[in-house]
Structure formats: structure tokens, C-alpha cells
Amino acid sequence: MQFIDLAAQQARIREKIDTRIAAVLDHGAYILGPEVDELEEKLAAFCGAKHAITCANGTDALQLALMALGVRTGDAVFVPSFTFAATAEVVPCMGATPVFVEVDPVSFNMDAGSLKRCITHAKEQGLTPKLVIPVDLFGLPADYDALTELAEAEGLKMIGDSAQGWGGTYRGRMTGTFGDLTTTSFFPAKPLGCYGDGGAMFTNDDDLAELLVSLRFHGKGDYKYNNVRIGMNSRLDTIQAAILLEKLAIYADELDARQRIADRYTDALQDVIDTPVVGNECRSIWAQYTLKTRDGQDREAIMERLKEAGIPSTVYYPMPLHMQKAYDRFPTDPEGLATSEAIAKQVFSLPMHPYLEPDAQEQVISALRDALG
Ligand SMILES: *Cc1c(COP(=O)(O)O)cnc(C)c1O
């Protein structure tokens, strides 16, 4: 059994992808070809954002977003500690200071009360609170109402890191439309993945969109050999855009399939272990289906039993960022990050992809119930 079965999806759309790739080979516009424009229009339309700007990967998307918002030395950028490293990594790259915010023990997303404490703490440290980056972890949108209210009151900019959550909904709005900017990743294992690296940024702000188009292409002005600012070389390959066009065409259908699979897991498991809770009038895109052990349940033993039964499972993430060597010198919530530290020891994720057949899912469920019983 596969943790994520990319081959099943490929079998469904292989012919269409072949045709799309052949078209790129025929026209030969490998960089910023017509498929890139077509994809950007369709991405924006899908989530309801005014602009989508593609780039080379989800980490660059974050860094370009920080560049566009003018993040610099002396600025505090608030990020959750329980996330993939890229969310925080781009902050010191821009000379700014990441401040690690606690997450909620049920949603695993940024806790607004902790953000408030972190803002006060950053000011006490002589930093300028500049930006907050909520993450839509495992596919579930962050608590945007509470975070936006606080960000606005404190004059903070906001970037949604939706590498795992793009296409999810929060109170009727899709991720991609919150804050000043949203970023996502098309890494192959993400819910919308290409066959290599890729990423995108979303915004409703015309000026920011124009800036991002310049920044991803060496800070170009009117044309490519007119450089008006320091930028990066970060474009999505035309071939990857061509592939993504076919994947985006089935994305809504795949999100429905993920929802059905998540519902089956939850129905079958909620009496024996803590299953994901989707509150706040949200819809998750189920990038991961992540369980949390209860008191007395031994995660490592459970995962070992699953492995013996031929079921892959993975821990996202075994160590929160504020405890990692690269990040342990940066400020945190002054009350500590006990939840991030605890859940890093409790969580594990089950096989999840839109093509997980009911039979295979039954195997996962019965192996897990056995392991817990
Ligand atoms: C995958 C991921 C990224 C980085 O995306 P890449 O395309 O791998 O650079 C950033 N943030 C989160 C939360 C991610 O899961």
C-alpha cells in the first residue's frame, strides 16, 4: 500500500498530460509559455482571487511574498512552530526574525491568543511586528477571522501559507483570498502537485501582483533586460504548468474524494483515537489525515503494528521548529509552546489520497483498530 498513490491519478489523466506536454515540445516556449498564463487564470478563478502568480516552488513563493511586503532586518514575523520548516526558513533569509507562535491542540493551527502574546513579546525585544504567516496545516484553513482581526488591530500584514491547504474553505471563502497574499506549493505530494517543483502566490491587490511578476524575474521593469529592483529567478516551467492544467481540471472532484475518504476514517475510528476535527465552518482539503493518540496510547508501538500489517504511516512533524538546531535561538511565545511539543509526540498520519479504494481503507482501519485494541 502507498501512503500517497500518484500513479493512480496519473493513470486517470495520462493521455491528456502526454498531449499537453507534446504541445509544449512543439511550441518550444519552455519559460513563461502560454500554459503558464492559462494556468494562472484558472488558478485565480478556482479560488476566487484576483491574481495568481506562479513561481518555482512553495518556499520561493513565501520568500517572494516577504520581498513584496518589504520584510527586512529588525522585523518580527510570526509563524507557528508546528509546521514544515519552509514557513520559518524564509524569514531569516530576509534578515528578519521569526517568532514562534503556539498552535491549537485540536486544529493544529495558529492560536490567536498566543499570537497576541508573541506580538507583545516581540515589541519588548525591540523588534517591529510586521507580518504573520498562518499555515493551513494538513489541509485545514487557519482561523482567519480571529487572526485577521488581531493582525488588523496591530497593523500586521498577513500571508497565508497554504502549501497544504489551497482550495479549502473557511466560512464560505476559499484559501487564496485571505490576508495580503497566499502562497502554495505544487510539490508532487501536495494535494495539487506537479511532476517536479512548483509554487504560486495569490492576491487581490493589483500593485502586489505586479510587484511579484517583477520579483520572480530578476526584478524586471517593462522588459527583461530592464532591472528596476533586486529579485529572484523563480518561474514555473511551462511543462509543469501544462501538467498542472490537467490536474487542476480534476482537482474539485479529487477534493470531494478526499472528503469521502476522510469521513470514512473518522466514522470508523473516532471511538478509539482522536480523529481530526473540522470546525469554524471550514472544509479541509485533507492533505494529510492526521490522528492524535490519547493518554496511554503509544504512537511508536501503534505505527510499528501498522508497518507489520503493511500499512505505511508517517509523523508530520516529529519536532517543532523552535526546538530545531537552526531555529532554537529565535523568540517564542513567552508562555512556552507546550502544545506544539506535546502533539509532535502524539500525531501520525494515515494513507490519504483521492484514489484510496474502500477495500484498502478497510485494511488500514482494521489494522489500526487491532493495534489499539
Ligand atoms: C511543502 C510546504 C512548503 C514548501 O513548499 P516547496 O514547494 O516544497 O518549497 C511550505 N510550507 C508548508 C506548510 C509546506 O507544507
Side-chain angles (χ1 to χ4, degrees), residues 140-199:
L140 180 68
D143 190 2
Y144 282 106
D145 279 356
L147 296 169
T148 303
E149 192 185 314
L150 191 52
E152 280 173 0
E154 296 282 346
L156 293 185
K157 302 275 186 195
M158 185 190 287
I159 299 171
D161 178 351
S162 208
Q164 301 179 15
W166 185 75
T169 49
Y170 178 90
R171 298 194 169 136
R173 264 166 74 192
M174 242 184 224
T175 55
T177 64
F178 296 94
D180 297 276
L181 285 161
T182 299
T183 62
T184 195
S185 163
F186 303 128
F187 181 80
K190 308 283 174 168
L192 183 62
C194 57
Y195 292 151
D197 278 309

Side-chain angles (χ1 to χ4, degrees), residues 56-62 82-89 133-138 161-165 183-188 190 196-200 287-288 317:
N57 57 68
T59 309
D60 279 7
L62 284 163
F82 191 65
T83 178
F84 181 61
T87 313
E89 186 177 24
I133 312 182
V135 176
D136 304 324
L137 201 73
F138 304 146
D161 178 351
S162 208
Q164 301 179 15
T183 62
T184 195
S185 163
F186 303 128
F187 181 80
K190 308 283 174 168
D197 278 309
Q288 304 296 343
Y317 295 94

Side-chain angles (χ1 to χ4, degrees), residues 304-321:
E304 190 53 38
R305 290 283 299 276
L306 289 176
K307 193 173 160 201
E308 282 161 15
I311 312 289
S313 61
T314 312
V315 175
Y316 301 107
Y317 295 94
M319 198 195 279
L321 295 182

Side-chain angles (χ1 to χ4, degrees), residues 17-263:
I17 285 179
D18 285 343
T19 306
R20 280 281 191 181
I21 291 175
V24 177
L25 298 187
D26 287 342
H27 68 56
Y30 304 125
I31 302 292
L32 298 180
E35 286 81 359
V36 175
D37 292 331
E38 186 185 346
L39 177 67
E40 289 178 343
E41 267 170 41
K42 288 184 171 159
L43 288 169
F46 187 95
C47 69
K50 197 164 173 199
H51 303 279
I53 302 98
T54 54
C55 63
N57 57 68
T59 309
D60 279 7
L62 284 163
Q63 184 157 351
L64 288 162
L66 261 57
M67 291 169 94
L69 295 176
V71 170
R72 55 193 167 91
T73 304
D75 289 342
V77 177
F78 303 94
V79 296
S81 182
F82 191 65
T83 178
F84 181 61
T87 313
E89 186 177 24
V90 294
V91 178
C93 281
M94 296 299 297
T97 305
V99 179
F100 290 108
V101 182
E102 183 63 294
V103 296
D104 178 84
V106 176
S107 70
F108 307 142
N109 280 330
M110 185 182 279
D111 177 77
S114 173
L115 174 59
K116 198 165 165 57
R117 290 192 293 276
C118 287
I119 295 169
T120 306
H121 185 57
K123 288 181 191 159
E124 286 163 5
Q125 307 258 306
L127 296 166
T128 308
K130 172 84 180 188
L131 168 71
V132 56
I133 312 182
V135 176
D136 304 324
L137 201 73
F138 304 146
L140 180 68
D143 190 2
Y144 282 106
D145 279 356
L147 296 169
T148 303
E149 192 185 314
L150 191 52
E152 280 173 0
E154 296 282 346
L156 293 185
K157 302 275 186 195
M158 185 190 287
I159 299 171
D161 178 351
S162 208
Q164 301 179 15
W166 185 75
T169 49
Y170 178 90
R171 298 194 169 136
R173 264 166 74 192
M174 242 184 224
T175 55
T177 64
F178 296 94
D180 297 276
L181 285 161
T182 299
T183 62
T184 195
S185 163
F186 303 128
F187 181 80
K190 308 283 174 168
L192 183 62
C194 57
Y195 292 151
D197 278 309
M201 301 154 288
F202 299 85
T203 183
N204 290 330
D205 182 316
D206 297 341
D207 295 333
L208 273 180
E210 204 183 310
L211 197 50
L212 291 167
V213 166
S214 166
L215 287 168
R216 75 170 170 186
F217 201 131
H218 304 291
K220 77 181 174 81
D222 304 344
Y223 72 106
K224 67 177 172 178
Y225 300 118
N226 172 23
N227 305 98
V228 297
R229 58 179 63 83
I230 302 299
M232 289 170 72
N233 173 14
S234 184
R235 288 136 351 194
L236 180 71
D237 293 344
T238 308
I239 285 188
Q240 298 301 346
I243 292 160
L244 282 165
L245 278 165
E246 293 306 330
K247 294 211 184 194
L248 183 60
I250 57 168
Y251 191 53
D253 180 55
E254 289 187 339
L255 295 185
D256 289 344
R258 285 177 184 273
Q259 183 62 50
R260 281 194 300 276
I261 290 160
D263 287 343

